[in-house]
Amino acid sequence: MATTSLVPSSADDPLAYQTIALVDLLDRVLATGVVVSGDITISIADVDLVYVSLRALISSVGALTPPGGLG
């Protein structure tokens, strides 16, 4: 009887378990940008009272400006 592993091995995906420093991760996020979104619903007795939709764009100014500059 053959067994299979649910955890991917490094042979399947060489980048799956690559360690990365927090500074490198922050540099990648700011260079390309990331959108964070979420929804909050406050309800009492299954009656929705408040619904808030949140969206934030996190990026550096250099990544958002065109290559020729602003003007």
Side-chain angles (χ1 to χ4, degrees):
M1 180 197 272
T3 60
T4 59
S5 174
L6 297 177
V7 179
S9 68
S10 60
D12 294 337
D13 187 6
L15 299 177
Y17 297 106
Q18 180 181 4
T19 60
I20 186 169
L22 183 60
V23 173
D24 293 333
L25 179 64
L26 186 61
D27 184 51
R28 289 182 191 180
V29 166
L30 290 178
T32 57
V34 65
V35 176
V36 179
S37 64
D39 298 320
I40 299 172
T41 304
I42 299 174
S43 61
I44 296 176
D46 290 333
V47 176
D48 294 343
L49 300 176
V50 177
Y51 174 77
V52 179
S53 179
L54 304 170
R55 285 176 183 75
L57 172 65
I58 301 172
S59 179
S60 67
V61 174
L64 295 177
T65 57
L70 293 175

Short mmCIF file of all heavy atoms in Angstrom, two decimals:
data_model
loop_
_atom_site.label_atom_id
_atom_site.label_comp_id
_atom_site.label_asym_id
_atom_site.label_seq_id
_atom_site.Cartn_x
_atom_site.Cartn_y
_atom_site.Cartn_z
N MET A 1 0.84 -1.16 0.00
CA MET A 1 0.00 0.00 0.00
C MET A 1 0.90 1.24 0.00
O MET A 1 1.80 1.38 0.81
CB MET A 1 -0.90 0.01 1.24
CG MET A 1 -1.79 1.23 1.25
SD MET A 1 -2.50 1.58 2.84
CE MET A 1 -3.96 0.68 2.86
N ALA A 2 0.64 2.15 -0.90
CA ALA A 2 1.45 3.37 -1.02
C ALA A 2 0.82 4.49 -0.20
O ALA A 2 -0.40 4.59 -0.09
CB ALA A 2 1.54 3.78 -2.48
N THR A 3 1.66 5.29 0.39
CA THR A 3 1.15 6.45 1.14
C THR A 3 1.59 7.72 0.43
O THR A 3 2.64 7.77 -0.21
CB THR A 3 1.72 6.46 2.57
OG1 THR A 3 3.14 6.52 2.51
CG2 THR A 3 1.29 5.22 3.33
N THR A 4 0.78 8.74 0.55
CA THR A 4 1.11 10.04 -0.04
C THR A 4 1.17 11.08 1.06
O THR A 4 0.48 10.97 2.08
CB THR A 4 0.05 10.47 -1.08
OG1 THR A 4 -1.22 10.53 -0.43
CG2 THR A 4 -0.01 9.48 -2.22
N SER A 5 1.98 12.05 0.84
CA SER A 5 2.13 13.12 1.81
C SER A 5 1.29 14.32 1.40
O SER A 5 1.24 14.68 0.23
CB SER A 5 3.60 13.53 1.90
OG SER A 5 3.75 14.63 2.74
N LEU A 6 0.61 14.94 2.37
CA LEU A 6 -0.18 16.12 2.08
C LEU A 6 0.68 17.39 2.06
O LEU A 6 0.28 18.41 1.55
CB LEU A 6 -1.29 16.28 3.12
CG LEU A 6 -2.34 15.17 3.16
CD1 LEU A 6 -3.33 15.42 4.27
CD2 LEU A 6 -3.06 15.08 1.83
N VAL A 7 1.86 17.31 2.60
CA VAL A 7 2.77 18.46 2.62
C VAL A 7 3.64 18.40 1.37
O VAL A 7 4.25 17.38 1.10
CB VAL A 7 3.66 18.41 3.89
CG1 VAL A 7 4.62 19.58 3.91
CG2 VAL A 7 2.81 18.38 5.14
N PRO A 8 3.66 19.51 0.59
CA PRO A 8 4.47 19.46 -0.63
C PRO A 8 5.95 19.37 -0.30
O PRO A 8 6.43 19.96 0.65
CB PRO A 8 4.16 20.79 -1.32
CG PRO A 8 3.64 21.67 -0.24
CD PRO A 8 3.01 20.78 0.78
N SER A 9 6.64 18.59 -1.09
CA SER A 9 8.09 18.46 -0.89
C SER A 9 8.80 19.55 -1.65
O SER A 9 8.24 20.20 -2.52
CB SER A 9 8.56 17.08 -1.36
OG SER A 9 8.44 17.01 -2.76
N SER A 10 10.07 19.75 -1.33
CA SER A 10 10.83 20.78 -2.01
C SER A 10 11.06 20.42 -3.47
O SER A 10 11.32 21.29 -4.29
CB SER A 10 12.16 21.02 -1.30
OG SER A 10 12.91 19.82 -1.29
N ALA A 11 10.95 19.16 -3.82
CA ALA A 11 11.09 18.76 -5.21
C ALA A 11 9.87 19.19 -6.03
O ALA A 11 9.99 19.49 -7.21
CB ALA A 11 11.28 17.24 -5.30
N ASP A 12 8.69 19.23 -5.39
CA ASP A 12 7.48 19.66 -6.09
C ASP A 12 7.51 21.16 -6.39
O ASP A 12 7.18 21.59 -7.47
CB ASP A 12 6.24 19.35 -5.26
CG ASP A 12 6.01 17.85 -5.09
OD1 ASP A 12 6.51 17.08 -5.94
OD2 ASP A 12 5.36 17.46 -4.12
N ASP A 13 7.89 21.96 -5.42
CA ASP A 13 7.93 23.41 -5.56
C ASP A 13 9.16 23.94 -4.83
O ASP A 13 9.16 24.01 -3.60
CB ASP A 13 6.66 24.03 -4.98
CG ASP A 13 6.55 25.52 -5.24
OD1 ASP A 13 7.41 26.06 -5.96
OD2 ASP A 13 5.61 26.14 -4.74
N PRO A 14 10.19 24.30 -5.53
CA PRO A 14 11.42 24.71 -4.85
C PRO A 14 11.27 26.00 -4.05
O PRO A 14 12.05 26.27 -3.16
CB PRO A 14 12.42 24.89 -5.99
CG PRO A 14 11.60 25.05 -7.21
CD PRO A 14 10.32 24.30 -6.97
N LEU A 15 10.26 26.81 -4.32
CA LEU A 15 10.07 28.07 -3.59
C LEU A 15 9.09 27.94 -2.44
O LEU A 15 8.81 28.92 -1.74
CB LEU A 15 9.59 29.16 -4.55
CG LEU A 15 10.52 29.51 -5.70
CD1 LEU A 15 9.89 30.55 -6.60
CD2 LEU A 15 11.85 29.99 -5.18
N ALA A 16 8.55 26.75 -2.21
CA ALA A 16 7.52 26.58 -1.18
C ALA A 16 8.04 26.86 0.21
O ALA A 16 7.33 27.43 1.03
CB ALA A 16 6.94 25.18 -1.26
N TYR A 17 9.26 26.48 0.51
CA TYR A 17 9.78 26.63 1.87
C TYR A 17 11.01 27.53 1.91
O TYR A 17 11.82 27.41 2.79
CB TYR A 17 10.10 25.26 2.46
CG TYR A 17 8.87 24.42 2.59
CD1 TYR A 17 8.64 23.36 1.73
CD2 TYR A 17 7.93 24.68 3.57
CE1 TYR A 17 7.51 22.58 1.83
CE2 TYR A 17 6.79 23.92 3.69
CZ TYR A 17 6.59 22.87 2.82
OH TYR A 17 5.46 22.12 2.93
N GLN A 18 11.11 28.43 0.96
CA GLN A 18 12.24 29.34 0.93
C GLN A 18 12.05 30.41 2.00
O GLN A 18 10.99 31.03 2.08
CB GLN A 18 12.35 29.99 -0.44
CG GLN A 18 13.51 30.95 -0.57
CD GLN A 18 13.56 31.58 -1.95
OE1 GLN A 18 12.70 31.37 -2.77
NE2 GLN A 18 14.57 32.37 -2.19
N THR A 19 13.04 30.61 2.83
CA THR A 19 12.94 31.64 3.86
C THR A 19 13.24 33.00 3.24
O THR A 19 14.05 33.12 2.33
CB THR A 19 13.92 31.37 5.01
OG1 THR A 19 15.25 31.35 4.49
CG2 THR A 19 13.61 30.05 5.69
N ILE A 20 12.56 34.02 3.74
CA ILE A 20 12.73 35.36 3.23
C ILE A 20 12.71 36.32 4.41
O ILE A 20 11.94 36.14 5.35
CB ILE A 20 11.63 35.71 2.20
CG1 ILE A 20 11.90 37.06 1.57
CG2 ILE A 20 10.27 35.66 2.81
CD1 ILE A 20 11.03 37.34 0.37
N ALA A 21 13.57 37.32 4.37
CA ALA A 21 13.64 38.30 5.45
C ALA A 21 12.47 39.27 5.32
O ALA A 21 11.95 39.51 4.23
CB ALA A 21 14.96 39.05 5.39
N LEU A 22 12.05 39.82 6.44
CA LEU A 22 10.93 40.75 6.45
C LEU A 22 11.23 41.99 5.62
O LEU A 22 10.35 42.52 4.93
CB LEU A 22 10.60 41.14 7.90
CG LEU A 22 9.42 42.06 8.09
CD1 LEU A 22 8.15 41.41 7.56
CD2 LEU A 22 9.25 42.41 9.55
N VAL A 23 12.47 42.43 5.62
CA VAL A 23 12.86 43.61 4.83
C VAL A 23 12.71 43.31 3.34
O VAL A 23 12.22 44.15 2.58
CB VAL A 23 14.30 44.01 5.17
CG1 VAL A 23 14.78 45.12 4.26
CG2 VAL A 23 14.40 44.43 6.62
N ASP A 24 13.09 42.12 2.91
CA ASP A 24 12.94 41.75 1.50
C ASP A 24 11.48 41.65 1.11
O ASP A 24 11.09 42.07 0.02
CB ASP A 24 13.64 40.42 1.22
CG ASP A 24 15.15 40.52 1.37
OD1 ASP A 24 15.69 41.63 1.18
OD2 ASP A 24 15.79 39.49 1.68
N LEU A 25 10.66 41.12 1.98
CA LEU A 25 9.23 41.02 1.70
C LEU A 25 8.61 42.40 1.59
O LEU A 25 7.83 42.67 0.68
CB LEU A 25 8.54 40.21 2.80
CG LEU A 25 7.04 40.04 2.65
CD1 LEU A 25 6.70 39.25 1.41
CD2 LEU A 25 6.46 39.38 3.88
N LEU A 26 8.96 43.30 2.50
CA LEU A 26 8.44 44.67 2.46
C LEU A 26 8.90 45.39 1.19
O LEU A 26 8.13 46.12 0.58
CB LEU A 26 8.88 45.43 3.71
CG LEU A 26 8.31 46.82 3.88
CD1 LEU A 26 6.79 46.78 3.97
CD2 LEU A 26 8.90 47.47 5.11
N ASP A 27 10.13 45.15 0.78
CA ASP A 27 10.64 45.75 -0.45
C ASP A 27 9.85 45.27 -1.67
O ASP A 27 9.50 46.06 -2.54
CB ASP A 27 12.12 45.43 -0.61
CG ASP A 27 12.73 46.10 -1.83
OD1 ASP A 27 12.54 47.32 -1.98
OD2 ASP A 27 13.38 45.40 -2.62
N ARG A 28 9.54 44.00 -1.72
CA ARG A 28 8.76 43.46 -2.84
C ARG A 28 7.35 44.02 -2.85
O ARG A 28 6.80 44.35 -3.90
CB ARG A 28 8.69 41.94 -2.76
CG ARG A 28 9.98 41.26 -3.07
CD ARG A 28 9.82 39.76 -3.03
NE ARG A 28 11.10 39.09 -3.08
CZ ARG A 28 11.25 37.79 -3.05
NH1 ARG A 28 10.19 37.00 -2.95
NH2 ARG A 28 12.45 37.25 -3.11
N VAL A 29 6.72 44.14 -1.68
CA VAL A 29 5.35 44.67 -1.59
C VAL A 29 5.31 46.12 -2.03
O VAL A 29 4.45 46.54 -2.79
CB VAL A 29 4.78 44.49 -0.17
CG1 VAL A 29 3.54 45.31 0.03
CG2 VAL A 29 4.50 43.03 0.11
N LEU A 30 6.26 46.92 -1.55
CA LEU A 30 6.26 48.33 -1.90
C LEU A 30 6.64 48.57 -3.36
O LEU A 30 6.21 49.54 -3.97
CB LEU A 30 7.20 49.11 -0.98
CG LEU A 30 6.72 49.23 0.47
CD1 LEU A 30 7.75 49.98 1.29
CD2 LEU A 30 5.37 49.90 0.56
N ALA A 31 7.44 47.70 -3.94
CA ALA A 31 7.84 47.87 -5.34
C ALA A 31 6.68 47.60 -6.29
O ALA A 31 6.55 48.25 -7.32
CB ALA A 31 9.01 46.95 -5.66
N THR A 32 5.82 46.65 -5.95
CA THR A 32 4.73 46.30 -6.84
C THR A 32 3.38 46.80 -6.34
O THR A 32 2.50 47.10 -7.13
CB THR A 32 4.63 44.78 -7.02
OG1 THR A 32 4.48 44.17 -5.75
CG2 THR A 32 5.88 44.24 -7.68
N GLY A 33 3.19 46.87 -5.05
CA GLY A 33 1.92 47.29 -4.48
C GLY A 33 1.05 46.10 -4.14
O GLY A 33 1.18 45.02 -4.72
N VAL A 34 0.17 46.31 -3.20
CA VAL A 34 -0.76 45.26 -2.79
C VAL A 34 -2.06 45.93 -2.35
O VAL A 34 -2.06 47.04 -1.81
CB VAL A 34 -0.16 44.38 -1.66
CG1 VAL A 34 0.05 45.17 -0.39
CG2 VAL A 34 -1.01 43.17 -1.38
N VAL A 35 -3.17 45.28 -2.61
CA VAL A 35 -4.48 45.77 -2.18
C VAL A 35 -4.98 44.87 -1.07
O VAL A 35 -5.04 43.65 -1.22
CB VAL A 35 -5.49 45.78 -3.35
CG1 VAL A 35 -6.87 46.19 -2.87
CG2 VAL A 35 -5.02 46.69 -4.45
N VAL A 36 -5.33 45.49 0.06
CA VAL A 36 -5.87 44.77 1.19
C VAL A 36 -7.35 45.14 1.28
O VAL A 36 -7.69 46.33 1.29
CB VAL A 36 -5.14 45.15 2.50
CG1 VAL A 36 -5.74 44.42 3.68
CG2 VAL A 36 -3.66 44.89 2.39
N SER A 37 -8.21 44.15 1.34
CA SER A 37 -9.64 44.44 1.43
C SER A 37 -10.29 43.55 2.47
O SER A 37 -9.81 42.46 2.77
CB SER A 37 -10.33 44.24 0.07
OG SER A 37 -10.25 42.90 -0.32
N GLY A 38 -11.37 44.05 3.02
CA GLY A 38 -12.09 43.29 4.02
C GLY A 38 -13.47 43.86 4.24
O GLY A 38 -13.75 45.01 3.89
N ASP A 39 -14.33 43.08 4.80
CA ASP A 39 -15.70 43.49 5.10
C ASP A 39 -16.00 43.22 6.56
O ASP A 39 -15.63 42.17 7.08
CB ASP A 39 -16.71 42.73 4.23
CG ASP A 39 -16.51 43.01 2.75
OD1 ASP A 39 -16.25 44.16 2.39
OD2 ASP A 39 -16.64 42.05 1.97
N ILE A 40 -16.67 44.17 7.20
CA ILE A 40 -17.08 44.00 8.59
C ILE A 40 -18.59 44.19 8.65
O ILE A 40 -19.11 45.18 8.14
CB ILE A 40 -16.39 45.05 9.50
CG1 ILE A 40 -14.88 44.87 9.46
CG2 ILE A 40 -16.91 44.95 10.92
CD1 ILE A 40 -14.12 45.97 10.16
N THR A 41 -19.25 43.25 9.28
CA THR A 41 -20.69 43.36 9.48
C THR A 41 -21.00 43.20 10.95
O THR A 41 -20.62 42.21 11.57
CB THR A 41 -21.45 42.27 8.68
OG1 THR A 41 -21.08 42.36 7.31
CG2 THR A 41 -22.94 42.43 8.82
N ILE A 42 -21.70 44.19 11.50
CA ILE A 42 -22.13 44.13 12.90
C ILE A 42 -23.62 43.83 12.89
O ILE A 42 -24.41 44.56 12.29
CB ILE A 42 -21.84 45.45 13.63
CG1 ILE A 42 -20.33 45.71 13.62
CG2 ILE A 42 -22.39 45.40 15.04
CD1 ILE A 42 -19.94 47.05 14.19
N SER A 43 -23.98 42.73 13.55
CA SER A 43 -25.38 42.34 13.56
C SER A 43 -25.79 41.87 14.95
O SER A 43 -24.97 41.39 15.72
CB SER A 43 -25.65 41.23 12.54
OG SER A 43 -24.89 40.10 12.85
N ILE A 44 -27.06 42.04 15.23
CA ILE A 44 -27.65 41.56 16.48
C ILE A 44 -28.89 40.76 16.11
O ILE A 44 -29.75 41.25 15.37
CB ILE A 44 -28.02 42.73 17.42
CG1 ILE A 44 -26.75 43.48 17.84
CG2 ILE A 44 -28.79 42.23 18.64
CD1 ILE A 44 -27.00 44.71 18.69
N ALA A 45 -28.96 39.56 16.60
CA ALA A 45 -30.10 38.65 16.35
C ALA A 45 -30.34 38.48 14.86
O ALA A 45 -31.47 38.57 14.37
CB ALA A 45 -31.35 39.15 17.06
N ASP A 46 -29.26 38.24 14.11
CA ASP A 46 -29.30 38.04 12.66
C ASP A 46 -29.88 39.22 11.89
O ASP A 46 -30.39 39.07 10.79
CB ASP A 46 -30.09 36.76 12.32
CG ASP A 46 -29.34 35.51 12.73
OD1 ASP A 46 -28.09 35.58 12.78
OD2 ASP A 46 -29.98 34.48 12.99
N VAL A 47 -29.81 40.42 12.47
CA VAL A 47 -30.21 41.64 11.78
C VAL A 47 -28.94 42.48 11.60
O VAL A 47 -28.33 42.89 12.57
CB VAL A 47 -31.27 42.42 12.59
CG1 VAL A 47 -31.59 43.74 11.90
CG2 VAL A 47 -32.52 41.59 12.80
N ASP A 48 -28.58 42.69 10.34
CA ASP A 48 -27.37 43.47 10.05
C ASP A 48 -27.63 44.93 10.37
O ASP A 48 -28.55 45.56 9.84
CB ASP A 48 -26.98 43.33 8.58
CG ASP A 48 -26.54 41.92 8.23
OD1 ASP A 48 -26.23 41.15 9.15
OD2 ASP A 48 -26.50 41.60 7.03
N LEU A 49 -26.81 45.48 11.27
CA LEU A 49 -26.96 46.88 11.67
C LEU A 49 -25.96 47.78 10.95
O LEU A 49 -26.30 48.87 10.50
CB LEU A 49 -26.78 47.02 13.18
CG LEU A 49 -27.77 46.24 14.03
CD1 LEU A 49 -27.42 46.39 15.50
CD2 LEU A 49 -29.18 46.71 13.78
N VAL A 50 -24.70 47.34 10.85
CA VAL A 50 -23.65 48.14 10.24
C VAL A 50 -22.85 47.25 9.31
O VAL A 50 -22.45 46.14 9.68
CB VAL A 50 -22.71 48.76 11.31
CG1 VAL A 50 -21.59 49.54 10.66
CG2 VAL A 50 -23.50 49.63 12.27
N TYR A 51 -22.62 47.75 8.10
CA TYR A 51 -21.77 47.04 7.14
C TYR A 51 -20.69 48.01 6.68
O TYR A 51 -20.98 49.11 6.21
CB TYR A 51 -22.59 46.57 5.93
CG TYR A 51 -21.75 45.95 4.83
CD1 TYR A 51 -21.27 44.66 4.96
CD2 TYR A 51 -21.42 46.66 3.69
CE1 TYR A 51 -20.49 44.10 3.98
CE2 TYR A 51 -20.64 46.11 2.70
CZ TYR A 51 -20.18 44.83 2.84
OH TYR A 51 -19.40 44.27 1.87
N VAL A 52 -19.43 47.62 6.84
CA VAL A 52 -18.30 48.46 6.45
C VAL A 52 -17.43 47.65 5.49
O VAL A 52 -17.05 46.52 5.79
CB VAL A 52 -17.47 48.88 7.69
CG1 VAL A 52 -16.28 49.73 7.27
CG2 VAL A 52 -18.33 49.61 8.69
N SER A 53 -17.13 48.24 4.35
CA SER A 53 -16.25 47.62 3.37
C SER A 53 -14.95 48.42 3.36
O SER A 53 -14.97 49.64 3.16
CB SER A 53 -16.90 47.64 1.99
OG SER A 53 -16.05 47.06 1.04
N LEU A 54 -13.84 47.73 3.59
CA LEU A 54 -12.54 48.39 3.68
C LEU A 54 -11.65 47.95 2.53
O LEU A 54 -11.57 46.76 2.23
CB LEU A 54 -11.86 48.04 5.00
CG LEU A 54 -12.66 48.33 6.27
CD1 LEU A 54 -11.96 47.70 7.46
CD2 LEU A 54 -12.79 49.81 6.46
N ARG A 55 -10.99 48.91 1.90
CA ARG A 55 -10.02 48.60 0.86
C ARG A 55 -8.86 49.58 1.00
O ARG A 55 -9.08 50.79 1.11
CB ARG A 55 -10.64 48.71 -0.52
CG ARG A 55 -11.54 47.53 -0.81
CD ARG A 55 -12.25 47.65 -2.13
NE ARG A 55 -13.15 46.56 -2.34
CZ ARG A 55 -14.32 46.41 -1.76
NH1 ARG A 55 -14.72 47.28 -0.87
NH2 ARG A 55 -15.09 45.38 -2.02
N ALA A 56 -7.65 49.07 0.99
CA ALA A 56 -6.47 49.91 1.12
C ALA A 56 -5.43 49.49 0.09
O ALA A 56 -5.21 48.30 -0.13
CB ALA A 56 -5.89 49.81 2.52
N LEU A 57 -4.80 50.47 -0.54
CA LEU A 57 -3.72 50.22 -1.47
C LEU A 57 -2.42 50.58 -0.77
O LEU A 57 -2.26 51.70 -0.29
CB LEU A 57 -3.88 51.07 -2.74
CG LEU A 57 -2.71 51.05 -3.71
CD1 LEU A 57 -2.53 49.66 -4.31
CD2 LEU A 57 -2.92 52.07 -4.80
N ILE A 58 -1.51 49.62 -0.70
CA ILE A 58 -0.22 49.84 -0.06
C ILE A 58 0.84 49.74 -1.15
O ILE A 58 1.00 48.69 -1.77
CB ILE A 58 0.03 48.82 1.06
CG1 ILE A 58 -1.06 48.91 2.10
CG2 ILE A 58 1.40 49.02 1.68
CD1 ILE A 58 -1.02 47.82 3.14
N SER A 59 1.54 50.84 -1.37
CA SER A 59 2.56 50.87 -2.41
C SER A 59 3.48 52.06 -2.16
O SER A 59 3.15 52.96 -1.40
CB SER A 59 1.90 51.00 -3.78
OG SER A 59 2.87 51.07 -4.79
N SER A 60 4.62 52.06 -2.82
CA SER A 60 5.49 53.22 -2.74
C SER A 60 5.07 54.23 -3.80
O SER A 60 4.40 53.89 -4.78
CB SER A 60 6.95 52.81 -2.96
OG SER A 60 7.12 52.36 -4.28
N VAL A 61 5.45 55.47 -3.62
CA VAL A 61 5.09 56.52 -4.57
C VAL A 61 5.78 56.26 -5.91
O VAL A 61 5.19 56.47 -6.97
CB VAL A 61 5.48 57.90 -4.01
CG1 VAL A 61 5.25 58.99 -5.03
CG2 VAL A 61 4.71 58.19 -2.74
N GLY A 62 6.98 55.74 -5.88
CA GLY A 62 7.71 55.45 -7.12
C GLY A 62 7.03 54.40 -7.97
O GLY A 62 7.11 54.45 -9.19
N ALA A 63 6.34 53.46 -7.35
CA ALA A 63 5.65 52.42 -8.11
C ALA A 63 4.37 52.94 -8.74
O ALA A 63 3.90 52.39 -9.73
CB ALA A 63 5.33 51.23 -7.21
N LEU A 64 3.79 54.01 -8.21
CA LEU A 64 2.53 54.53 -8.73
C LEU A 64 2.70 55.64 -9.75
O LEU A 64 1.80 55.91 -10.51
CB LEU A 64 1.68 55.04 -7.56
CG LEU A 64 1.21 53.99 -6.57
CD1 LEU A 64 0.44 54.65 -5.43
CD2 LEU A 64 0.34 52.95 -7.24
N THR A 65 3.84 56.32 -9.76
CA THR A 65 4.04 57.41 -10.71
C THR A 65 4.53 56.85 -12.04
O THR A 65 5.21 55.84 -12.11
CB THR A 65 5.10 58.40 -10.17
OG1 THR A 65 6.31 57.71 -9.90
CG2 THR A 65 4.60 59.10 -8.93
N PRO A 66 4.17 57.52 -13.13
CA PRO A 66 4.65 57.08 -14.44
C PRO A 66 6.15 57.29 -14.55
O PRO A 66 6.73 58.11 -13.85
CB PRO A 66 3.88 57.96 -15.43
CG PRO A 66 3.28 59.05 -14.64
CD PRO A 66 3.25 58.64 -13.21
N PRO A 67 6.82 56.57 -15.45
CA PRO A 67 8.28 56.66 -15.57
C PRO A 67 8.78 58.08 -15.90
O PRO A 67 9.86 58.45 -15.53
CB PRO A 67 8.62 55.70 -16.71
CG PRO A 67 7.47 54.77 -16.79
CD PRO A 67 6.28 55.54 -16.31
N GLY A 68 7.98 58.90 -16.58
CA GLY A 68 8.40 60.24 -16.95
C GLY A 68 8.26 61.26 -15.84
O GLY A 68 8.67 62.39 -15.95
N GLY A 69 7.67 60.87 -14.72
CA GLY A 69 7.44 61.81 -13.62
C GLY A 69 6.01 62.30 -13.60
O GLY A 69 5.15 61.86 -14.36
N LEU A 70 5.74 63.26 -12.75
CA LEU A 70 4.38 63.76 -12.60
C LEU A 70 4.04 64.87 -13.58
O LEU A 70 2.88 65.12 -13.84
CB LEU A 70 4.19 64.32 -11.16
CG LEU A 70 4.25 63.26 -10.05
CD1 LEU A 70 4.17 63.93 -8.70
CD2 LEU A 70 3.12 62.27 -10.20
N GLY A 71 4.99 65.56 -14.09
CA GLY A 71 4.63 66.70 -14.91
C GLY A 71 5.30 66.71 -16.18
O GLY A 71 5.17 67.12 -17.19
#
